Amino acid sequence: MAQAPSGSVLAKPSACCEIERQAWRLNEDAGLSERTTHATVDDVAALAGVSTATVSRCLNAPERVIPATREKVMAAIRKLNYTPNFGARALASRKTGIIGAVVPTLENAVFAHGIEAFEQALPPGKFALLIASSGYDPQREREQIEALVARGASGLMLVGFDRDPTVYEWLGHRRVPYVLAWASGDSQPHAGFDNEAGIAQMVGLVLELGHTDIAMISGMTEGNDRARGRLEGARRELARAGLEFRGVAEVPYGIETGARAFEKLIASHPVTAVICGNDVLAAGALRAAHRMGLRVPEDVTITGFDDIDIASITYPELTTVRVPHRRMGSEAARLLQQLIDGKEGQSVQLPTRVVARGTHAPPRRKDLPASA
Amino acid sequence: MAQAPSGSVLAKPSACCEIERQAWRLNEDAGLSERTTHATVDDVAALAGVSTATVSRCLNAPERVIPATREKVMAAIRKLNYTPNFGARALASRKTGIIGAVVPTLENAVFAHGIEAFEQALPPGKFALLIASSGYDPQREREQIEALVARGASGLMLVGFDRDPTVYEWLGHRRVPYVLAWASGDSQPHAGFDNEAGIAQMVGLVLELGHTDIAMISGMTEGNDRARGRLEGARRELARAGLEFRGVAEVPYGIETGARAFEKLIASHPVTAVICGNDVLAAGALRAAHRMGLRVPEDVTITGFDDIDIASITYPELTTVRVPHRRMGSEAARLLQQLIDGKEGQSVQLPTRVVARGTHAPPRRKDLPASA
DNA sequence: TTGTAGGCGTTATCAG
DNA sequence: CTGATAACGCCTACAA
């Protein structure tokens, strides 16, 4: 009988031009079928000649066991290849060591990086991270939250502040601690930054350059406080200078959508600068500009927000607003752990700053070529 | 006493220029302190006037309970705001509904997208996804695998084939089903594509254009079968044409490392084409080329691999190898579920193809300017 | 320092 | 279709 480590080949269809497939199955105890069940504390205790309590202590509080017996126990554990049963342990100890996180999507680098930092900031071995994505859908987010809690999450990391109040009530009733990342304000525990202040800095820069005909490509603002904060912050800063946008497009996240929005905006408004709600939209706008034969920044200024990797590989490199996403992820992890431990935790508001690269310049003097 | 939904403000230091912090704590039952414990099946059963068995059935096999009693039970559940205890459920049913995944890092868009697709392909509500990242460190990956299994993962998704055989033995012994994503070969259940074939297509294109002085910027090959497959595949294709690389740099994943490698390669070898192991390295190379004043593709051809988003926002847009990362993620999810269910599953090998965009061209005739 | 024994909240196997 | 009741595997006072 086949003895492959974990499975056995059932069939291998001849290689086809398109997609090759091959059948697999978890093998059903091909060889030794004596003990199909796993070792338990009792087995370990018996083999080591101690009580189950001692075995448990060796695992959870080694210092409370004398080295000699501890050695015996550990040897038995190794020999039996014993691993504590997760369910039993969770049931008895009333803790799972699982933390949940719901993000809109990991396809947005901002969240992927933040989550990565979040995960790395969790004490290794002490916590594991359960991740779900909502696709920016509030209803789905709610289901995901409930699913994670149902799977034993003893703490949650959520993105942004905007959500139905009943979600917070539910969480409060269940006594599930949570942290809002990429959020600001002070009505909830959070780790974030000020979107309005960040975009205001950028708009300030554009205004200083002398632009007056400005448009904005914003992400979808519904249920997204980040996008809304940026749009509103930009409007406010413009208003302070007695101006308003010549055009505003609100589009879903994506390079293509950013490109389309740019084309439309340029076609219908005589703008010299386009403020984008994030780097991906800006990258799309930049690509559209290239394809339309517009020079950046000579003909048009384009700015981003987030400063993710792509901001430094566009050509010219993107002028954007730097946001410490990774730092935010780790701060969120720190805060959440403190909340879970019942300790006092600190919400934190991280600073942002404009990174001036190559996509901004003073507006083109429109009268020059015309009056020549 | 404060009655905030889930916490109460303890202190708010005056806003500082750098980082603002604010103290939080999960409030300790500020109001009603009657029942600090959660409702259990017994409570629900009592309130509904049925047995715990019936309550359990209502949750796990509603069709086995007549609508009348089911309604009573559901009403009691709602009223008590009852949620099954995860640990108890896992212990009794011997299943957690948790699937684990270990990836090198979510900061690599390839994995972020694949994982996102993997998660979405999991039946919602039936499974939750536990994620850990290894940082490309085999030792850490092993720890993460054990941690996920210890947290109740009943199936695993791992990246690539390269790892200590004892890991597979351990998994086999524990009877934990697993799927290798971004992997090929046929000794394990996998969902992937052929790195060697993919890169060979690209090298073929470059050779056809007439290049003979070619270099490669590869990702780190140790413990990374994807990078190694690409490097070896390229070497082999070159050898078929009687050529070999004029230079090879093996560098960690990143834009900066790609840029540095390109500078060094160009400085020490008279190459006309640089094959890159992935799009990020290629983007770095492209940026370096721009900064060095080299024209792409007139002066030098640069190619990538993966076709992630950034490939279409570089300037010129990147010629690369398209890999169906999302499709792979969902195929991996499908396969893993079948393995978990004890059913036969199909390994799958997805096709790749060259996407010819703007960074390739015939080599520059070096003798032309010199002989003029 | 170590052992004893009860309980954690569900599910599952039987009868009824 | 529903109800007792015995696992499920581990933790943790409490005793020794």
Side-chain angles (χ1 to χ4, degrees):
Chain A
M1 234 180 179
Q3 292 272 14
S6 80
S8 53
V9 180
L10 295 187
K12 180 175 168 103
S14 64
C16 131
C17 51
E18 255 286 298
I19 296 182
E20 288 181 44
R21 290 181 179 278
Q22 175 188 2
W24 280 95
R25 178 194 294 274
L26 192 65
N27 58 4
E28 309 283 356
D29 248 342
L32 46 160
S33 57
E34 34 172 340
R35 184 178 48 68
T36 178
T37 177
H38 278 186
T40 71
V41 265
D42 296 287
D43 301 326
V44 176
L47 180 59
V50 300
S51 74
T52 62
T54 300
V55 175
S56 177
R57 280 187 210 105
C58 282
L59 260 23
N60 306 303
E63 73 281 2
R64 297 179 57 77
V65 176
I66 200 170
T69 45
R70 196 195 307 165
E71 256 324 306
K72 279 192 305 186
V73 173
M74 296 315 273
I77 287 180
R78 270 191 301 275
K79 180 155 183 207
L80 261 31
N81 219 293
Y82 165 77
T83 315
N85 174 285
F86 175 66
R89 172 176 262 191
L91 176 57
S93 68
R94 321 187 126 284
K95 58 178 61 167
T96 59
I98 289 181
I99 284 184
V102 184
V103 296
T105 170
L106 289 175
E107 304 206 351
N108 184 326
V110 154
F111 300 125
H113 289 211
I115 284 285
E116 174 81 19
F118 183 84
E119 199 250 19
Q120 287 176 359
L122 259 22
K126 195 161 169 235
F127 286 110
L129 184 59
L130 214 38
I131 295 185
S133 57
S134 67
Y136 291 99
D137 174 359
Q139 180 52 35
R140 185 165 159 76
E141 188 201 38
R142 177 176 210 132
E143 293 165 3
Q144 298 283 35
I145 288 174
E146 293 182 7
L148 295 194
V149 171
R151 288 288 182 294
S154 44
L156 248 35
M157 187 258 239
L158 305 175
V159 172
F161 175 76
D162 259 15
R163 53 179 60 79
D164 194 307
T166 60
V167 171
Y168 294 119
E169 285 165 20
W170 189 85
L171 252 17
H173 189 272
R174 284 265 176 328
R175 312 206 68 69
V176 177
Y178 57 87
V179 167
L180 309 183
W182 287 276
S184 51
D186 50 24
S187 60
Q188 300 278 10
H190 68 273
F193 55 93
D194 189 332
N195 287 289
E196 309 204 11
I199 199 75
Q201 294 177 299
M202 180 56 86
V203 172
L205 169 66
V206 172
L207 289 174
E208 264 177 39
L209 289 171
H211 291 273
T212 53
D213 298 323
I214 308 172
M216 178 152 183
I217 301 178
S218 164
M220 302 303 289
T221 57
E222 186 179 339
N224 184 330
D225 44 88
R226 285 86 64 207
R228 197 167 52 248
R230 293 173 197 183
L231 178 54
E232 290 313 317
R235 280 210 169 102
R236 196 164 310 155
E237 188 66 14
L238 230 45
R240 284 189 11 159
L243 296 172
E244 56 183 34
F245 281 126
R246 293 290 172 147
V248 171
E250 190 173 316
V251 300
Y253 179 86
I255 293 172
E256 276 305 316
T257 56
R260 296 288 151 276
F262 182 85
E263 289 164 3
K264 280 189 192 162
L265 242 25
I266 289 292
S268 53
H269 306 278
V271 303
T272 60
V274 177
I275 307 290
C276 298
N278 60 61
D279 287 348
V280 169
L281 293 177
L286 192 50
R287 194 184 70 184
H290 282 146
R291 292 190 181 172
M292 294 169 79
L294 289 172
R295 290 170 307 162
V296 178
E298 294 82 359
D299 297 329
V300 59
T301 284
I302 294 176
T303 72
F305 199 112
D306 283 336
D307 195 22
I308 56 180
D309 290 349
I310 66 168
S312 65
I313 62 161
T314 56
Y315 185 75
E317 297 175 31
L318 195 61
T319 292
T320 187
V321 178
R322 174 134 189 65
V323 176
H325 297 289
R326 294 184 186 75
R327 173 78 188 284
M328 207 192 49
S330 51
E331 290 286 350
R334 179 192 48 68
L335 174 54
L336 184 52
Q337 282 177 78
Q338 293 176 316
L339 258 25
I340 289 175
D341 293 343
K343 290 188 293 192
E344 176 184 317
Q346 308 258 318
S347 275
V348 49
Q349 179 104 350
L350 267 10
T352 59
R353 72 162 205 278
V354 168
V355 178
R357 285 199 271 252
T359 55
H360 66 289
R364 231 182 143 189
R365 297 282 305 282
K366 274 172 295 188
D367 46 38
L368 238 45
S371 67
Chain B
M1 223 162 193
Q3 292 272 15
S6 82
S8 53
V9 180
L10 296 187
K12 180 176 168 100
S14 63
C16 131
C17 51
E18 254 287 298
I19 298 181
E20 288 181 44
R21 289 182 180 278
Q22 175 188 2
W24 280 94
R25 178 193 294 275
L26 192 66
N27 58 4
E28 307 285 356
D29 248 342
L32 45 160
S33 56
E34 34 173 340
R35 183 178 49 69
T36 179
T37 177
H38 277 187
T40 70
V41 264
D42 296 287
D43 301 326
V44 176
L47 180 58
V50 299
S51 74
T52 61
T54 300
V55 175
S56 178
R57 276 191 288 263
C58 282
L59 260 23
N60 305 303
E63 72 281 1
R64 299 178 55 78
V65 177
I66 65 174
T69 44
R70 195 196 309 165
E71 256 323 306
K72 280 193 305 185
V73 173
M74 295 316 273
I77 287 179
R78 272 192 299 275
K79 180 156 183 205
L80 260 31
N81 219 293
Y82 166 76
T83 316
N85 175 287
F86 175 66
R89 173 174 262 190
L91 176 56
S93 70
R94 319 187 125 283
K95 57 177 62 165
T96 58
I98 288 182
I99 284 185
V102 184
V103 296
T105 169
L106 289 176
E107 304 207 351
N108 184 326
V110 155
F111 300 125
H113 289 213
I115 284 284
E116 174 81 19
F118 183 84
E119 199 250 20
Q120 287 175 0
L122 258 22
K126 194 161 170 235
F127 286 110
L129 183 60
L130 215 38
I131 295 185
S133 58
S134 67
Y136 292 98
D137 174 359
Q139 180 53 34
R140 185 166 159 75
E141 188 201 39
R142 179 178 209 129
E143 293 165 2
Q144 299 283 36
I145 288 173
E146 294 181 7
L148 295 193
V149 171
R151 288 289 182 294
S154 44
L156 249 34
M157 186 258 239
L158 305 175
V159 172
F161 176 77
D162 257 16
R163 53 179 60 79
D164 194 307
T166 60
V167 171
Y168 294 118
E169 284 165 21
W170 189 86
L171 252 18
H173 189 273
R174 284 265 176 327
R175 312 206 67 69
V176 177
Y178 57 86
V179 167
L180 309 183
W182 287 276
S184 51
D186 50 23
S187 60
Q188 301 278 9
H190 69 273
F193 55 93
D194 190 333
N195 288 288
E196 308 203 11
I199 199 75
Q201 294 177 297
M202 179 57 86
V203 171
L205 168 66
V206 171
L207 289 174
E208 265 177 39
L209 289 171
H211 291 273
T212 53
D213 297 324
I214 309 173
M216 177 151 184
I217 301 178
S218 164
M220 302 303 290
T221 56
E222 186 179 338
N224 184 330
D225 43 271
R226 285 88 63 207
R228 196 166 53 249
R230 294 173 196 182
L231 178 53
E232 290 313 317
R235 279 209 169 104
R236 196 164 311 155
E237 188 66 13
L238 231 44
R240 285 188 13 161
L243 296 172
E244 57 183 34
F245 281 126
R246 294 291 172 147
V248 171
E250 190 174 316
V251 300
Y253 180 85
I255 292 173
E256 278 303 316
T257 55
R260 296 288 151 276
F262 182 85
E263 289 165 3
K264 280 189 191 162
L265 242 25
I266 289 292
S268 51
H269 305 278
V271 302
T272 61
V274 177
I275 306 290
C276 298
N278 59 60
D279 287 347
V280 169
L281 293 177
L286 192 50
R287 194 184 70 184
H290 282 146
R291 292 190 182 172
M292 294 168 80
L294 287 173
R295 289 171 308 161
V296 179
E298 295 82 358
D299 296 330
V300 59
T301 284
I302 294 176
T303 71
F305 200 111
D306 282 337
D307 195 23
I308 56 180
D309 290 349
I310 67 168
S312 66
I313 62 162
T314 56
Y315 185 76
E317 297 174 31
L318 196 61
T319 292
T320 186
V321 178
R322 173 133 190 67
V323 177
H325 296 289
R326 293 184 187 75
R327 173 78 189 283
M328 208 192 47
S330 51
E331 290 286 350
R334 181 192 48 67
L335 174 53
L336 184 53
Q337 282 176 77
Q338 293 175 317
L339 259 25
I340 289 176
D341 293 343
K343 290 187 293 192
E344 175 184 318
Q346 308 258 319
S347 274
V348 50
Q349 179 104 349
L350 268 10
T352 60
R353 71 163 206 276
V354 168
V355 178
R357 285 200 271 252
T359 54
H360 66 289
R364 235 184 139 183
R365 298 281 305 281
K366 273 173 296 186
D367 46 37
L368 237 44
S371 67

